[in-house]
Amino acid sequence: MQQAILTVDLGFGDAGKGSIVDFLTRQRDAHTVVRYNGGAQAAHRVVTPDGREHVFAQFGSGTLAGAATHLSRFMLIDPLAMLAEAAHLHALGVDALERTTIDERALIITPFQRAANRLKELGRGAGRHGSCGMGVGETMADFLAHGERVLFAGDLVKPHALRAKLAFLQTINQAKIAALCDLLPDTEPVARELDMLHDDDHGWLLDACAILTQQAEIVRGGYLHTLLARPGTVIFEGAQGVLLDEWRGFHPYTTWSTTTLANAEQLLYEAGYTNAITRLGITRAYATRHGAGPFVTEDAGLTAALPDARNGAGAWQGGFRVGWPDLVMLRYALDVTGPLDALAVTCVDRLAELVAVQICTAYQDESHLIKRIDPSPEPHMLAYQEQLTAMLLRCQPVLETLSGTAALLKRLAAELGVPIGIISEGPTAAEKRHM
C-alpha cells in the first residue's frame, strides 16, 4: 500500500514541522521524506528519544528516524551548507548524503548570491525585510531574469558548465551590488560579504560541489515517480509557513517560495499518483514570528515568558516574537492552502506554563471589526497583498480568555472546521499523541 502525507505550516514558520515529520516517520515507518519548497534557511529541530538533536535545513526531518531524503526541483540547494549539515549528522551516527537524491532541476545557491542578499539587507538599515541571509531570494531572482544560464543541480556533475555558470553568477551579482555601494555602511560585515562577492578563486567551491555529488545522487524528475510507487509511506515536508508565501503572504515581508501545498500537489499530479493522501496542517498552540512584518497578536509579555530553545534573535532575521493564538490568521491560512484532513498542534505544554490562556477571535481596524481576511481574488496580485499588510499594521487584536489548553484545542477544531489529529507536548516523538 502507498500513502503520501503532505505537511504544511499554517503560520509564519517555526510551527514544529521537523518534530512532527520525525514523529510521523516513526509512526508510519516512512521510507522517504520529500522536501517540496524552500532551501537552506529552514531550521526544523528534531530531538530523538535517545537525546540526539539536529536542526534540519536541507535534509528531510525523518533522517534520524531512518528515512531517505529526496530534494525536489522546488528546492534551492546550498552545497556548502549541505556539507556542513551532513557533517553534523555524521557525528550523530547517520550518513545522510548516502541516502539523499537531488532532482537535477533544483536551483543551486552560490556564495555570490548569498553575499548579494546580505549586502542588500545591510543597505536597507532599519528597513530590513527580515531575510534569512541565505541567498534564496537572489537565486530565484537570477533564475527569473536569466533562465537556463543559472546553476542547477544537474550542472554540478558537468565541470565545464559549472565553471562557466559560477563565473556568470559572480558577474551579475557584482553588478547588482555596484549600484548600492554608496548606500552600504563601512563595517566589517559589509567588507566580509564584498570580499566573498569578488573572490575569483573558485577552486574551493568546485571541490565542495564535487564532494556533494560523489555522495548524494543527482536524479531526473521521474525518479520521484518510482519513490511514490514503492510500498509504504512518503512524507512531503514543507518549509517556512503559509503566511510567508511569495504570493499569499503579506508583501514585502515574505519569502521567494511557494509555501502552500501547491508544489507538493503538483509533484503528485505529475507522478500520476492516485493512492491515499493525508493533508496535515501544523500550528503551534500560540502564534510566533521570526523577524520583521505585521504580527497583530504579538505580546511582549508572552515573548519574554515563552523563549524558544532554538529561536533567538538572528543576525539577519531579527528577533523571535510571540503572540496569542490567532483565529483570523489561521482562517486565512486555511483559505489559501485548501482543504486539510487534520491539524497537528505543537508546543501545547508551553501554554501550561501560563496563568491564563487567551485567543484572538477578531481584529479591530479603527471602527471596523475583522473576523476573516479575504484572499486575493486573482493570483499573483502583490498590490493586494501590500494593502493587506498596511491594514494588518493598523489592527489590534480582540482577545478572549479561555479556561486552559483543553478549551483552546476544542475551540481551534470547532472554529476552523478541521479535526485535531496530533498533539505535541514536547520535542520528542514520545511526547506526541494521535487524537
Side-chain angles (χ1 to χ4, degrees), residues 323-390:
W324 294 108
D326 188 340
L327 288 173
V328 181
M329 278 291 128
L330 285 168
R331 291 186 189 109
Y332 178 80
L334 290 174
D335 285 344
V336 300
T337 301
L340 298 175
D341 297 296
L343 298 176
V345 182
T346 65
C347 300
V348 175
D349 55 310
R350 301 299 307 280
L351 284 187
E353 303 170 18
L354 303 178
V355 175
V357 174
Q358 293 184 289
I359 190 170
C360 175
T361 60
Y363 297 161
Q364 191 73 45
D365 178 17
E366 298 175 345
S367 61
H368 303 291
L369 191 68
I370 300 169
K371 291 190 174 183
R372 183 178 292 275
I373 297 173
D374 293 327
S376 170
E378 301 289 340
H380 303 175
M381 288 184 63
L382 291 183
Y384 182 88
Q385 300 307 121
E386 287 179 340
Q387 292 173 5
L388 292 182
T389 299

Side-chain angles (χ1 to χ4, degrees), residues 405-415 420:
T405 56
L408 171 64
L409 296 172
K410 183 177 180 180
R411 186 68 173 273
L412 288 175
E415 293 278 357
I420 296 176

Side-chain angles (χ1 to χ4, degrees), residues 128-190:
R128 288 190 182 187
H129 291 174
S131 168
C132 292
M134 299 299 293
V136 172
E138 295 305 315
T139 302
M140 282 300 303
D142 289 346
F143 169 65
L144 293 173
H146 301 284
E148 295 300 312
R149 299 188 70 186
V150 304
L151 194 60
F152 298 89
D155 297 318
L156 299 181
V157 295
K158 304 171 184 176
H160 179 73
L162 176 57
R163 290 188 182 90
K165 288 190 172 188
L166 285 174
F168 172 72
L169 290 170
Q170 183 175 25
T171 298
I172 63 172
N173 281 279
Q174 288 173 347
K176 291 178 194 174
I177 299 306
L180 300 177
C181 282
D182 291 342
L183 302 176
L184 293 172
D186 184 14
T187 63
E188 192 276 334
V190 168

Side-chain angles (χ1 to χ4, degrees), residues 51-247:
R52 291 177 295 165
E53 179 177 340
H54 181 76
V55 178
F56 284 90
Q58 298 183 83
F59 293 98
S61 295
T63 298
L64 294 175
T69 293
H70 178 67
L71 304 181
S72 75
R73 74 173 190 274
F74 295 115
M75 278 285 289
L76 290 87
I77 313 299
D78 183 332
L80 300 174
M82 196 165 187
L83 290 175
E85 185 179 356
H88 185 255
L89 286 166
H90 181 77
L92 297 179
V94 178
D95 289 322
L97 282 172
E98 295 180 357
R99 289 187 282 153
T100 297
T101 52
I102 305 173
D103 190 298
E104 64 180 357
R105 295 296 296 172
L107 289 169
I108 299 297
I109 301 171
T110 70
F112 316 123
Q113 291 153 322
R114 186 176 61 199
N117 171 195
R118 294 178 175 185
L119 289 165
K120 283 186 176 182
E121 278 291 274
L122 290 168
R124 291 184 179 114
R128 288 190 182 187
H129 291 174
S131 168
C132 292
M134 299 299 293
V136 172
E138 295 305 315
T139 302
M140 282 300 303
D142 289 346
F143 169 65
L144 293 173
H146 301 284
E148 295 300 312
R149 299 188 70 186
V150 304
L151 194 60
F152 298 89
D155 297 318
L156 299 181
V157 295
K158 304 171 184 176
H160 179 73
L162 176 57
R163 290 188 182 90
K165 288 190 172 188
L166 285 174
F168 172 72
L169 290 170
Q170 183 175 25
T171 298
I172 63 172
N173 281 279
Q174 288 173 347
K176 291 178 194 174
I177 299 306
L180 300 177
C181 282
D182 291 342
L183 302 176
L184 293 172
D186 184 14
T187 63
E188 192 276 334
V190 168
R192 183 171 59 248
E193 299 305 331
L194 286 172
D195 285 345
M196 175 59 70
L197 191 58
H198 293 279
D199 183 1
D200 291 327
D201 178 11
H202 298 170
W204 59 276
L205 185 53
L206 293 168
D207 290 343
C209 292
I211 293 171
L212 178 64
T213 57
Q214 287 165 9
Q215 298 181 56
E217 184 180 3
I218 309 297
V219 297
R220 295 183 180 274
Y223 181 81
L224 179 57
H225 306 181
T226 64
L227 286 177
L228 291 167
R230 287 178 53 188
T233 299
V234 175
I235 299 173
F236 285 72
E237 179 178 0
Q240 302 159 295
V242 170
L243 302 181
L244 295 173
D245 185 80
E246 58 185 331
W247 300 114

